[in-house]
Amino acid sequence: MVTRDNYRQIDLLKYLRITKDMKEAKMMIDSDILYEPELCALGVNPNITYDILFELAGSKYDSVRSEVARNKLVGEKKLSYILCNDAVGKVRASLAGNIYTPAGLLGTLSSDYDYYVRQAAFRNPMLPRKYVMNAFESEQNIALAADNPNLTSTDLYTIANKKVTSNNQKDIKAVMACQGIKDAKAVIAKRSDLPMPLFMQLAYSDDIAVRLEIAKNPFCDDETLIYLSGDSDVRIKEALLRRPYLPPEALSNFVLDEDDVIRRLAAKRNNLFLEDQNTLSVDKNRQVRFELLLNDSIDQHLKEQMELRDENQELMININNFR
């Protein structure tokens, strides 16, 4: 008779993850000697057979059924249909995120009542395009659809044009995909293939999350970056100053900022206008002047003048020690 004592001398979790002996694995399941973590370990075994996986799909443990839902064998419709109708959302979410789940069931899961199930489905690159595009007509799914990895720049133009509400205008500057849907705007603002005119459109948003994503987007154009440099929110300013490149016109908006940290970050940049270097050279904050003195790109004549000023002598000692 098979008992748990027979397996006391081995690491069951490790064994069940790698064993190729599925007959023995099935015997352990049928003998009901495996606990929840061990059944999960068996569920991730790459050698598992369909009949065992099908048996685990009926487990009383949500975590076990979730592991089954992540397996590539769910491509078999009978198994995936059972999991698609599971009462527990996390099991359906695992199935929705599986690239092997049949396309039709992914479509079904994309309209699931559970938000996280729908989110997993829309993030799945195998979700058929028709479900993604249809979702833009739904207030419930529009933000999720905007996160689909297969959505293209052309799609954004198409969606934006469909959202025009007055005069049938086709000007992409005047409209944007998912107008008025906050979460969708933030998702779109992250995209690398965002149509250029939409950067400025999104930069006008009242939502800080949207403007922040634009400020972080490495493909943002200079005109929009300059506009955002006038934003009052310190998070936007810091995001801009963390970019590898920022137009000098944008930096000009930071040299008189009331926040010492912002002026310090600006003083480190290598493309400051000479006028802005002069402004920072007499900054009231010694740390701002310190950063400017360390900046090898500043005007050499200005640097020599700074080094001679009495208020900078202590800074010069620190700089020499620093170097």
Side-chain angles (χ1 to χ4, degrees), residues 286 289-290 292-294 303-323:
R286 63 194 303 274
R289 302 196 307 276
F290 181 77
L292 191 65
L293 282 165
L294 284 175
K303 189 170 187 177
E304 291 172 357
Q305 288 182 327
M306 290 184 67
E307 290 172 350
L308 294 174
R309 292 176 190 156
D310 292 341
E311 67 268 24
N312 293 333
Q313 292 311 300
E314 184 180 349
L315 294 180
M316 293 308 303
I317 294 173
N318 293 335
I319 288 173
N320 291 330
N321 291 334
F322 180 77
R323 289 173 172 167

Side-chain angles (χ1 to χ4, degrees), residues 105-205:
L105 289 181
L106 283 179
T108 299
L109 292 165
S110 69
S111 59
D112 194 277
Y113 64 86
D114 188 304
Y115 171 85
Y116 295 102
V117 176
R118 299 197 309 276
Q119 181 183 62
F122 280 108
R123 287 180 176 176
N124 192 324
M126 303 309 292
L127 178 66
R129 178 182 174 80
K130 66 178 181 179
Y131 296 107
V132 179
M133 301 308 289
N134 288 342
F136 281 97
E137 302 303 323
S138 163
E139 291 292 320
Q140 183 185 43
N141 290 332
I142 194 169
L144 297 176
D147 204 17
N148 184 268
N150 296 323
L151 197 64
T152 67
S153 176
T154 301
D155 291 333
L156 290 178
Y157 273 105
T158 301
I159 294 160
N161 286 332
K162 286 177 68 176
K163 296 295 177 182
V164 175
T165 57
S166 63
N167 301 325
N168 293 319
Q169 63 181 351
K170 298 297 182 182
D171 185 357
I172 197 70
K173 294 181 181 179
V175 292
M176 59 171 292
C178 318
Q179 184 70 41
I181 308 300
K182 179 179 69 174
D183 294 340
K185 284 184 180 181
V187 170
I188 288 177
K190 297 178 183 179
R191 298 186 66 91
S192 62
D193 60 350
L194 189 67
M196 197 62 67
L198 280 183
F199 279 110
M200 185 63 81
Q201 181 74 18
L202 288 161
Y204 287 137
S205 173

Side-chain angles (χ1 to χ4, degrees), residues 11-126:
D11 183 342
L12 265 183
L13 286 175
K14 182 177 179 180
Y15 174 76
L16 290 168
R17 288 192 192 102
I18 62 174
T19 182
K20 294 182 180 180
D21 191 346
M22 289 298 116
K23 288 185 178 179
E24 183 181 30
K26 190 171 189 317
M27 183 172 58
M28 284 190 276
I29 295 173
D30 293 341
S31 300
D32 199 25
I33 66 169
L34 299 180
Y35 298 150
E36 181 179 358
E38 293 150 1
L39 290 169
C40 286
L42 181 59
V44 300
N45 189 315
N47 305 305
I48 195 168
T49 56
Y50 178 78
D51 61 322
I52 293 180
L53 202 67
F54 193 87
E55 188 169 350
L56 292 179
S59 172
K60 63 182 178 181
Y61 301 115
D62 303 347
S63 57
V64 176
R65 302 198 306 278
S66 292
E67 291 298 347
V68 173
R70 295 186 186 100
N71 196 286
K72 65 180 181 180
L73 294 179
V74 297
E76 202 285 330
K77 289 186 177 180
K78 185 176 181 182
L79 177 59
S80 57
Y81 182 80
I82 291 173
L83 294 166
C84 186
N85 289 282
D86 197 282
V88 178
K90 73 174 183 179
V91 176
R92 302 195 306 280
S94 295
L95 184 68
N98 192 330
I99 62 172
Y100 295 99
T101 299
L105 289 181
L106 283 179
T108 299
L109 292 165
S110 69
S111 59
D112 194 277
Y113 64 86
D114 188 304
Y115 171 85
Y116 295 102
V117 176
R118 299 197 309 276
Q119 181 183 62
F122 280 108
R123 287 180 176 176
N124 192 324
M126 303 309 292

Side-chain angles (χ1 to χ4, degrees), residues 222-235:
D222 286 4
E223 182 183 0
T224 303
L225 293 175
I226 294 169
Y227 170 77
L228 282 173
S229 67
D231 199 290
S232 61
D233 195 293
V234 69
R235 290 168 291 180

Side-chain angles (χ1 to χ4, degrees), residues 235-250:
R235 290 168 291 180
I236 300 293
K237 300 173 186 178
E238 290 178 348
L240 290 172
L241 286 165
R242 282 195 291 268
R243 296 176 65 93
Y245 169 76
L246 195 63
E249 294 86 354

